[in-house]
Amino acid sequence: MDKYHTAPYPNAYAVLFAYTTGSDEELVAEINSLLLLKDQLSPYDIDSLFQEYLVDDATTFTTQGIGQAIGNEIGAVLEIIEKGLKQNDAFTTSLDTFAEKVPEATSEEGLSAVVAALLDENRRMAELTRDLNQGLAKSQALIGTLNQQLEEVQAQAQRDPVSGAFNRRAFDVRLEETVSRAAKTNEGFCVVLAELENFKGLSDAYGPAAGDAVLGIFASLVAGNLGEGDMVARYSGDQFALILPGRDLMAAYNLLVKIKHAYKLSAHSVPGSHQPLNGLTASYGLARCEPGMTAGAVMAQADAFMQDARKSGRNLVKARGIG
């Protein structure tokens, strides 16, 4: 951390531990590439590396912890049920014993003693049943809470914590599913790769908080313009990817034109100051995935069109035969 001027916080420990131990070759290679360009790892670099390579480890750890807690509570429920069954057997045995004693109780005092004992046993069983029911109710409530926490963790595992959009892994899964569905239904769909322009310069000038704000602004604006079944995800550091299954190429192009104008015209300020964040732009590459194409092939096309948009100027949308 001292060597690369990295602030000591949990994500940094995790990333640099993985780097120094060589536990992930791709992570090591990317950090080495970054260090060839500069002599430090910024908070943005650390968080990007953590999200891309290590976030699943943290999610898995949390999920396993909640799963273990649910398992423990289910074990407690089974113990309560087993205890209840044993007490029911004991109560049945007691009733049989009392049934045998009733004919033998020839006097009024003897019968009263049998009835009194039966009432005591019934009272004891009622108290035990109440305690067991309370224990089951508490376990049921706790299991419900744990299940809710598990669902929240699983949902968070699909989200990029900085922008609020879906993360790369969630996008890759959805893209493969959409490609597979397209092959079965013989219907294509559109994919977009967008890169925020001058993002590094903005982060360097105003700090990581400004960069985080811009990521959130773009993700929120795009999400607000998408329909049911569409998806926006943070694909890498300053890149976002979209899946648009319900639109043809021209409809998708018109949507991106709308988004790029709205993004450029949006007015914001640097967090913690009154410094304006205006004139934000991005380069957009739009590709059509036809039945039979692979996920890698359509993403390569989207990337090529995005690179074309970057070289042609700012705030452009490029697609085959359009733009």
Side-chain angles (χ1 to χ4, degrees):
M1 288 181 176
D2 182 62
K3 181 178 180 180
Y4 301 123
H5 311 288
T6 304
Y9 64 104
N11 286 5
Y13 280 112
V15 169
L16 291 181
F17 180 80
Y19 175 67
T20 55
T21 58
S23 61
D24 189 314
E25 293 182 0
E26 293 184 3
L27 171 65
V28 171
E30 184 157 348
I31 290 180
N32 286 337
S33 297
L34 288 171
L35 295 176
L36 288 174
L37 302 175
K38 51 186 179 180
D39 61 353
Q40 65 179 15
L41 295 174
S42 68
Y44 172 76
D45 294 328
I46 290 293
D47 287 339
S48 296
L49 291 164
F50 181 82
Q51 290 301 318
E52 185 168 357
Y53 294 100
L54 300 178
V55 71
D56 273 4
D57 294 338
T59 301
T60 298
F61 179 79
T62 304
T63 301
Q64 288 175 343
I66 296 176
Q68 182 62 48
I70 292 175
N72 292 341
E73 201 58 34
I74 290 175
V77 169
L78 293 176
E79 289 180 5
I80 292 173
I81 292 173
E82 183 180 5
K83 184 177 180 181
L85 292 174
K86 288 180 179 178
Q87 293 300 325
N88 282 336
D89 289 342
F91 186 60
T92 300
T93 301
S94 297
L95 292 179
D96 291 340
T97 301
F98 290 132
E100 293 174 357
K101 290 183 178 180
V102 169
E104 299 173 0
T106 56
S107 67
E108 182 176 343
E109 292 180 358
L111 185 59
S112 295
V114 172
V115 172
L118 179 60
L119 290 174
D120 287 342
E121 182 67 13
N122 187 68
R123 190 178 301 110
R124 186 189 68 80
M125 188 63 188
E127 292 175 355
L128 178 62
T129 300
R130 184 171 56 253
D131 291 342
L132 293 176
N133 285 338
Q134 289 175 351
L136 287 173
K138 289 179 180 179
S139 291
Q140 183 180 18
L142 181 55
I143 290 173
T145 300
L146 290 169
N147 275 325
Q148 182 178 356
Q149 291 176 354
L150 186 60
E151 290 175 359
E152 290 173 356
V153 169
Q154 290 171 337
Q156 291 171 0
Q158 294 186 320
R159 293 284 178 177
D160 168 49
V162 177
S163 67
F166 284 97
N167 59 28
R168 171 68 178 272
R169 288 180 174 84
F171 175 83
D172 288 342
V173 170
R174 178 77 69 84
L175 181 59
E176 289 291 350
E177 292 174 349
T178 310
V179 167
S180 177
R181 189 180 306 114
K184 293 177 181 177
T185 61
N186 201 35
E187 295 180 356
F189 63 95
C190 290
V191 169
V192 180
L193 196 57
E195 183 173 278
L196 307 186
E197 293 168 340
N198 196 34
F199 180 77
K200 186 178 183 304
L202 187 147
S203 297
D204 291 342
Y206 302 115
D212 291 350
V214 170
L215 292 171
I217 290 167
F218 184 80
S220 178
L221 188 150
V222 173
N225 283 277
L226 298 185
E228 185 177 356
D230 296 339
M231 180 187 199
V232 57
R234 187 179 175 191
Y235 195 71
S236 64
D238 57 356
Q239 293 184 351
F240 286 82
L242 286 72
I243 298 176
L244 306 173
R247 293 178 174 84
D248 59 22
L249 196 65
M250 184 54 69
Y253 177 82
N254 291 335
L255 172 66
L256 294 178
V257 170
K258 176 183 176 182
I259 288 173
K260 80 181 184 72
H261 285 311
Y263 185 50
K264 186 175 182 179
L265 294 174
S266 62
H268 307 276
S269 60
V270 175
S273 76
H274 299 292
Q275 186 70 34
L277 282 175
N278 300 327
L280 301 173
T281 59
S283 297
Y284 305 82
L286 170 62
R288 178 77 175 171
C289 182
E290 299 297 344
M293 288 182 66
T294 65
V298 70
M299 288 306 298
Q301 284 193 13
D303 181 66
F305 287 124
M306 184 190 72
Q307 299 299 335
D308 186 21
R310 286 181 57 192
K311 295 173 183 177
S312 300
R314 298 169 65 88
N315 204 35
L316 294 176
V317 180
K318 289 289 185 176
R320 188 181 303 278
I322 309 175

